Amino acid sequence: MSEKPSIKIYNTYTREKEVFTPLLEEHVGMYVCGPTVYGEAHLGNARPAITFDVVFRYLQYLGYKVRYVRNITDVGHLEQDSDDGEDKIAKRAKLEKLEPMEIVKLYTEAYHSVMKKLNVKSPSIEPTATGHITEQIEMVESILRNGYAYESNGSVYFDVEKYAGSNPYGKLSGRVLEELLEATRNLEGQGDKRKSSDFALWKKAAPEHIMRWNSPWGAGFPGWHLECSAMSTKYLGKKFDIHGGGMDLMFPHHESEIAQSVACNACLPANYWMHNNMVTINGQKMAKSLGNFVTMNQLFTGSNPLLDRPYSPMAVRYFILQAHYRSTLDFSNEALLGAAKAYKKVINGLRIVKKFTSPESWQTDDALCQEIHKLCDACFDGLNDDFNTAITIGHVFNLLKKINSFYTNTLSLTHLNEPTFLRMQQTYVDVVEHILGLQEEPVEKVDTFVEGLLDLYKDAKAQKQYDKVDKIRTYFKSEGIVIKDMKTGVDWAYEE
Ligand code: ZN
């Protein structure tokens, strides 16, 4: 694709919708904050993953080369996102009587398995915080050299007040430093920080702390915000195109990332900041810390008191995509059931449109062709306007209405012309399957199908309908299955 459409992105940093212009033509760098792997993935983890999966897919579809980095946080994320709580992973390890790295492996694999079910593409690079300790130490040294941090009793803190003196600290999250200082004034003088608004770049490890590394300041571990700055710089450069994540990460995480990167590299890290909104339940944020969350595996199996029934991974993906990523997404069984039904309509459309074959002759109706082209354009208009999947899905349904009319012969494909026919087919498949990432879910109950066919086989045999018997045998054989007629009855086995 040579001529790329203009895409608008709502930039959280400038609070404006801006035309997307990559730093390097044809090449896009994108960094998204991934999960802290200390528990099972839940809806709050799935939303950013799916949101940025669509961004990744669409940019690639348009012909951009995208380097998509999504990290795994496996150290340094402390309770309450604070500088003094217990490490979330170490805490979980203690609870489960495992090594922290066993927890990391367990939940990284669980996360990957959920992502696969949701048809979320793997990022180009998936770096871990523990794998980049050297880079993080180097970044701390450089921030110290530049005068924006100080060492205190084996820990290193970022000097927020000094930074804010010459930089717009708080611009992303809309926080005002004075208010932050005011709110936490009575905590002043506690611990090793000079000011409560300062944040840890490196923390001294208490003697009982298992996750520790040597550093110029003694044994310790990196602050949570630091990994993303160090790893995005390493893999995408000092300045890259898109930085994404959930809205709850804006402060302190992303605000701190910006401060660290500017203090180290003297430039803002990302050109566009994108934040997906929260998943809510009865208007309240769904979060692990609030205990009102549903894990993805509970959704897939229906095993949570909040759920009336299980919902398939693709129904959940559809549920997430039917809302624009900047809107809140309210969880309810009604909404999920609605999504499950709508998803099936879209997929039935996919099966129909893939089976359409080009007519041999045409009696072109120009008005109809124009209408189809407009419907196809509209599907992309939604995507080009800040990746608005809600609008796109609406237009996919408009296109589907036409497709169904052709399917039921209310309209005839011969009234199109070849380019229009091909565009309709291509657009539906591309948007649904390749960009929204909605795919047909295999029917899981294969056994039930096989048993049903075996019953037909038994009936045919009993009625001595040998042509039918042979037909069923041949069909089974073509699928690598042999029917076994035994004294004890009929069974099947894989052909050896
Ligand atoms: Zn991050």
Side-chain angles (χ1 to χ4, degrees):
M1 205 169 296
S2 51
E3 192 71 12
K4 293 188 180 68
S6 147
I7 303 178
K8 283 192 186 131
I9 295 182
Y10 181 84
N11 188 349
T12 331
Y13 190 73
T14 59
R15 290 175 177 71
E16 273 179 47
K17 232 184 229 183
E18 296 168 3
V19 173
F20 174 61
T21 320
L23 287 164
L24 299 170
E25 213 175 321
E26 311 289 321
H27 202 286
V28 176
M30 177 161 92
Y31 188 94
V32 173
C33 295
T36 302
V37 281
Y38 73 113
E40 288 217 32
H42 55 94
L43 266 173
N45 301 123
R47 196 173 189 195
I50 290 176
T51 295
F52 294 101
D53 184 51
V54 170
V55 175
F56 185 35
R57 284 167 176 271
Y58 188 47
L59 291 174
Q60 283 184 318
Y61 171 81
L62 294 179
Y64 289 107
K65 270 177 88 175
V66 185
R67 183 177 292 164
Y68 175 19
V69 183
R70 190 187 66 207
N71 68 305
I72 293 279
T73 297
D74 56 358
V75 70
H77 194 173
L78 309 185
E79 292 280 293
Q80 274 94 46
D81 298 351
S82 74
D83 275 346
D84 297 303
E86 202 175 345
D87 186 294
K88 291 184 178 188
I89 286 159
K91 186 180 176 185
R92 187 74 190 225
K94 231 185 265 171
L95 272 173
E96 298 197 16
K97 297 197 169 56
L98 293 172
E99 276 291 315
M101 279 301 131
E102 283 182 284
I103 292 292
V104 166
K105 179 152 191 293
L106 189 66
Y107 291 113
T108 302
E109 280 179 5
Y111 178 75
H112 285 159
S113 148
V114 165
M115 289 302 118
K116 201 166 176 210
K117 284 182 187 154
L118 290 169
N119 199 23
V120 169
K121 283 183 156 195
S122 292
S124 327
I125 305 175
E126 194 173 40
T128 62
T130 56
H132 296 76
I133 299 292
T134 316
E135 288 82 352
Q136 294 180 77
I137 290 175
E138 280 168 7
M139 194 160 200
V140 176
E141 286 177 318
S142 145
I143 296 171
L144 275 168
R145 263 200 312 276
N146 294 345
Y148 288 103
Y150 56 90
E151 189 193 342
S152 171
N153 188 28
S155 294
V156 181
Y157 292 97
F158 192 91
D159 188 339
V160 171
E161 220 173 0
K162 163 139 196 221
Y163 173 81
S166 47
N167 294 282
Y169 179 80
K171 181 171 157 65
L172 177 76
S173 58
R175 307 266 175 140
V176 181
L177 181 60
E178 287 69 34
E179 284 171 15
L180 282 174
L181 287 170
E182 189 62 32
T184 53
R185 204 171 38 162
N186 48 359
L187 299 172
E188 227 65 82
Q190 292 181 4
D192 303 324
K193 290 186 199 180
R194 286 184 197 154
K195 294 268 179 185
S196 57
S197 53
D198 295 346
F199 59 87
L201 296 173
W202 186 266
K203 283 281 288 181
K204 176 185 182 169
E208 70 277 9
H209 200 98
I210 317 169
M211 302 176 88
R212 58 202 295 140
W213 291 264
N214 288 327
S215 80
W217 317 285
F221 57 94
W224 171 38
H225 317 305
L226 188 64
E227 59 172 292
C228 290
S229 293
M231 298 190 293
S232 63
T233 306
K234 172 163 176 149
Y235 295 111
L236 299 172
K238 292 176 179 174
K239 200 168 184 62
F240 54 94
D241 296 294
I242 299 170
H243 193 311
M247 230 171 68
D248 53 339
L249 293 180
M250 266 191 194
F251 189 89
H253 188 57
H254 290 161
E255 200 70 71
S256 306
E257 268 189 52
I258 292 175
Q260 291 164 163
S261 289
V262 172
C264 177
N265 301 326
C267 65
L268 285 168
N271 260 350
Y272 305 88
W273 284 83
M274 292 177 70
H275 289 94
N276 66 275
N277 213 319
M278 301 292 96
V279 179
T280 56
I281 175 160
N282 302 321
Q284 199 188 20
K285 180 189 162 189
M286 182 183 276
K288 207 169 278 182
S289 52
L290 297 174
N292 61 357
F293 70 102
V294 179
T295 71
M296 298 310 289
N297 283 320
Q298 286 170 343
L299 267 172
F300 301 157
T301 56
S303 58
N304 183 302
L306 292 167
L307 296 166
D308 290 348
R309 46 161 272 180
Y311 299 95
S312 76
M314 282 298 108
V316 176
R317 184 173 175 113
Y318 185 97
F319 169 67
I320 288 172
L321 291 177
Q322 61 168 7
H324 185 211
Y325 74 89
R326 285 197 289 123
S327 314
T328 51
L329 177 66
D330 201 43
F331 169 92
S332 73
N333 279 283
E334 295 71 39
L336 276 162
L337 191 61
K341 284 186 176 164
Y343 155 72
K344 282 188 181 146
K345 281 188 188 157
V346 170
I347 289 304
N348 279 334
L350 193 65
R351 299 188 63 230
I352 291 169
V353 85
K354 279 184 177 174
K355 279 190 217 154
F356 279 168
T357 49
S358 183
E360 296 200 342
S361 61
W362 305 96
Q363 288 143 351
T364 305
D365 172 346
D366 287 333
L368 180 63
C369 287
Q370 255 184 14
E371 205 186 335
I372 298 286
H373 279 293
K374 262 195 188 156
L375 290 172
C376 292
D377 288 341
C379 291
F380 290 102
D381 289 346
L383 290 163
N384 295 335
D385 187 7
D386 195 25
F387 305 93
N388 196 327
T389 52
I391 299 233
T392 295
I393 285 178
H395 290 303
V396 163
F397 268 97
N398 292 336
L399 189 59
L400 178 58
K401 245 184 242 164
K402 285 283 176 231
I403 289 167
N404 279 328
S405 302
F406 291 119
Y407 180 59
T408 55
N409 273 333
T410 319
L411 285 173
S412 167
L413 284 171
T414 54
H415 292 152
L416 301 177
N417 53 31
E418 191 157 35
T420 312
F421 167 77
L422 291 174
R423 180 155 190 237
M424 175 177 78
Q425 199 172 35
Q426 193 75 44
T427 301
Y428 195 87
V429 174
D430 283 349
V431 172
V432 169
E433 213 170 28
H434 302 308
I435 300 167
L436 297 177
L438 297 166
Q439 60 184 6
E440 199 174 336
E441 281 179 324
V443 178
E444 273 176 29
K445 292 172 180 148
V446 177
D447 274 359
T448 325
F449 275 92
V450 172
E451 295 301 333
L453 260 179
L454 271 188
D455 280 345
L456 291 179
Y457 173 83
K458 282 182 229 166
D459 288 350
K461 236 183 115 184
Q463 291 163 20
K464 299 194 167 40
Q465 296 172 323
Y466 294 113
D467 52 333
K468 263 192 196 163
V469 167
D470 284 345
K471 227 178 180 173
I472 298 174
R473 271 194 172 280
T474 313
Y475 173 72
F476 269 70
K477 208 171 154 47
S478 71
E479 296 296 316
I481 291 172
V482 283
I483 296 178
K484 298 193 138 183
D485 291 293
M486 299 178 300
K487 279 179 193 157
T488 48
V490 177
D491 199 5
W492 66 272
Y494 297 109
E495 194 175 22
E496 288 161 19

